[in-house]
Amino acid sequence: MNSFTYCVPTKVYFGKGQLEHLSEELAAYGRRILFVYGGGSIIKNGLYEKVTAAAEKAGCTLTELSGVKPNPRIDLVREGVRLCREEKIEAVLAVGGGSVIDTAKFVAAGACMDGDPWELTSPHTAVEKTLPLLTVPTMAATGSEMDASAVISNPETHDKIGRTVQAFYPKVSFLDPENTFTVSARQTACGSADILSHIMEEYFTMDEDLYMLDCVMEGLMKTVIRYAPIAMKEPDNYEARANLLWASEWAINGLIEGGKRQAWSCHPIEHELSAYYDITHGLGLAILTPRWMEYCLDEKNVSRYVQFGVNVFGLDAAQDPFETAREAIEKMKEFLYDTLGIESSLTEIGIDDARFPEMAKKAYRRGLVFAFKTLRPKDVENILRMCL
């Protein structure tokens, strides 16, 4: 296996009532805070009131940046950067889902650079400094509250691009599972598909890996498969919500990467779907993932599918390897489409093949030649057509 460096500098408060520490943490980073959130959900569930009360207790002034949408847009980032400069903002507080936190990451970085914040999506733009970021996640999905990545969209160019830099790590995150109780069954399903995809992008590799990391990844996947249906049926089930929330962090905070060098496969392809059609990220991943698995299966990698099927779904290790591999793919489909109730095709959500060629070319440029199995533009088109 490859050598690697691992560092997660985010301080995490996990569990009930941990927001009581928000005031002391805000005070440690400044008095002028940009408060980033989405729509009215945090007002309805009382979280807005708790956050503003904590800011008042800390002696902080909040400048609000609201209206963050799924597949967050660069235009709101630009507005946030403008506010940071005008109000002399010292720290950023993000309260919401992954889109809110990703927006806040780009704002925090954009406020410390010259030029347009869209330049941050380029690997050639150095990100050495950001405003301190504190987060209060309200759903289990992206894990952005404990990782170094963020994704932003530009509707004008149909681009959705992710960036991973050490400076994107939040300083402090408050993970209270009770803050995810109001997440709908639909959002819980799509968020769980996102968590699974984060793990599977790392799990399906031909690199030599640590046995320990395989065990962690299999345990994380089994956790999502066990608790997502419970959270959907019992939204205030603390055990289910806690397990999903904590699993979402360790699915993408770098632990399971373990020095692997391969590029991800499904995320670059899905980013084109949500860039062009503005669909929910987890929905696109749920439709893509089993088809990607089917397309990539061959003699060289079948053993990985077998290990997945046996250790995650409890399949028979003694049967023909390809039979086990195909059964594992079917189990994944059953979980995503039958158990979670996610749509199983692009046709069901109104997407046809009109833009597949240009989407495939853009996805390919995100590094798919270095993925689990090399994917050229035509391969991407084929996978998308399998999803119709």
Side-chain angles (χ1 to χ4, degrees), residues 12 30-31 34 37 47 63 73 114 140 155 159 169 182 191-192 196 207 229 258 264 313 320 359 365 384:
V12 174
R31 292 293 186 269
L34 184 72
Y37 61 98
L47 193 51
T63 298
R73 277 70 160 171
D114 295 324
D159 281 314
Y169 274 111
T182 56
S192 297
L196 279 175
D207 287 348
W264 285 15
F313 286 111
D320 176 76
M359 292 163 60
R365 291 200 295 268
L384 288 169

Side-chain angles (χ1 to χ4, degrees), residues 157-177:
T157 60
H158 296 296
D159 281 314
K160 182 177 180 181
I161 301 176
R163 185 81 192 275
T164 300
V165 290
Q166 190 75 10
F168 274 172
Y169 274 111
K171 297 296 185 183
V172 187
S173 289
F174 299 84
L175 279 63
D176 185 342

Side-chain angles (χ1 to χ4, degrees), residues 14 16 177-178 181 223 226-228 230-231 234-246:
F14 190 97
K16 296 179 182 180
E178 291 186 336
F181 282 2
T223 296
R226 175 175 178 175
Y227 284 107
I230 296 173
E234 305 170 29
D236 59 352
N237 186 306
Y238 186 88
E239 179 184 6
R241 293 295 192 184
N243 274 278
L244 288 177
L245 187 57
W246 200 224

Side-chain angles (χ1 to χ4, degrees), residues 232-283:
M232 291 172 67
K233 293 176 182 176
E234 305 170 29
D236 59 352
N237 186 306
Y238 186 88
E239 179 184 6
R241 293 295 192 184
N243 274 278
L244 288 177
L245 187 57
W246 200 224
S248 72
E249 313 311 315
W250 294 97
I252 196 172
N253 67 9
L255 173 71
I256 62 176
E257 181 181 322
K260 290 186 278 290
R261 299 290 185 260
Q262 73 178 33
W264 285 15
S265 301
C266 292
H267 273 69
I269 302 173
E270 197 292 319
H271 283 172
E272 299 308 318
L273 285 171
S274 48
Y276 279 84
Y277 298 100
D278 199 25
I279 66 171
T280 300
H281 180 52
L283 165 62

Side-chain angles (χ1 to χ4, degrees), residues 25-332:
E25 293 293 351
L26 283 173
Y29 289 102
R31 292 293 186 269
R32 305 176 71 86
I33 311 294
L34 184 72
F35 178 18
V36 185
Y37 61 98
S41 61
I42 68 167
I43 296 175
K44 293 176 183 177
N45 65 18
L47 193 51
Y48 177 92
E49 186 176 351
K50 292 178 182 178
V51 168
T52 53
E56 183 178 356
K57 181 180 177 181
C60 296
T61 300
L62 296 180
T63 298
E64 296 188 14
L65 179 70
S66 62
V68 179
K69 299 176 181 178
N71 300 314
R73 277 70 160 171
I74 190 62
D75 58 345
L76 197 65
V77 171
R78 292 179 178 127
E79 173 63 11
V81 170
R82 183 188 68 79
L83 288 173
C84 285
R85 290 170 179 165
E86 287 187 359
E87 301 299 328
K88 295 181 173 53
I89 296 297
E90 297 172 292
V92 180
L93 171 63
V95 182
S99 294
V100 170
I101 298 172
D102 283 3
T103 297
K105 287 182 176 181
F106 274 96
V107 170
C112 298
M113 65 172 287
D114 295 324
D116 184 65
W118 182 251
E119 296 172 17
L120 293 166
T121 62
S122 169
H124 303 296
T125 300
V127 185
E128 298 175 351
K129 180 183 178 183
T130 71
L131 294 176
L133 173 64
L134 298 86
T135 81
V136 183
T138 57
M139 70 177 293
T142 68
S144 192
E145 56 274 5
M146 197 183 173
D147 76 9
S149 299
V151 180
I152 204 73
S153 297
N154 188 334
E156 294 180 3
T157 60
H158 296 296
D159 281 314
K160 182 177 180 181
I161 301 176
R163 185 81 192 275
T164 300
V165 290
Q166 190 75 10
F168 274 172
Y169 274 111
K171 297 296 185 183
V172 187
S173 289
F174 299 84
L175 279 63
D176 185 342
E178 291 186 336
N179 290 334
T180 69
F181 282 2
T182 56
V183 176
S184 68
R186 168 75 170 179
Q187 288 178 305
T188 299
C190 291
S192 297
D194 193 9
I195 300 169
L196 279 175
S197 182
H198 292 159
I199 304 163
M200 295 173 74
E201 296 274 27
E202 300 287 2
Y203 184 82
F204 281 87
T205 177
M206 298 311 294
D207 287 348
E208 284 189 30
D209 213 346
L210 285 169
Y211 171 78
M212 166 265 185
L213 289 180
D214 279 355
C215 292
V216 170
M217 288 186 280
E218 289 158 5
L220 288 170
M221 287 186 280
K222 289 167 72 174
T223 296
V224 175
I225 290 167
R226 175 175 178 175
Y227 284 107
I230 296 173
M232 291 172 67
K233 293 176 182 176
E234 305 170 29
D236 59 352
N237 186 306
Y238 186 88
E239 179 184 6
R241 293 295 192 184
N243 274 278
L244 288 177
L245 187 57
W246 200 224
S248 72
E249 313 311 315
W250 294 97
I252 196 172
N253 67 9
L255 173 71
I256 62 176
E257 181 181 322
K260 290 186 278 290
R261 299 290 185 260
Q262 73 178 33
W264 285 15
S265 301
C266 292
H267 273 69
I269 302 173
E270 197 292 319
H271 283 172
E272 299 308 318
L273 285 171
S274 48
Y276 279 84
Y277 298 100
D278 199 25
I279 66 171
T280 300
H281 180 52
L283 165 62
L285 289 171
I287 294 172
L288 277 167
T289 299
R291 281 56 185 248
W292 166 78
M293 294 175 73
E294 290 175 328
Y295 192 83
C296 292
L297 177 62
D298 62 25
E299 291 278 357
K300 294 181 180 178
N301 61 33
V302 65
S303 61
R304 201 61 178 165
Y305 289 76
V306 171
Q307 181 177 333
F308 171 73
V310 172
N311 292 347
V312 176
F313 286 111
L315 302 183
D316 184 2
Q319 61 187 354
D320 176 76
F322 278 93
E323 184 177 344
T324 302
R326 294 188 184 98
E327 189 176 347
I329 295 170
E330 288 305 310
K331 287 290 186 183
M332 179 56 64

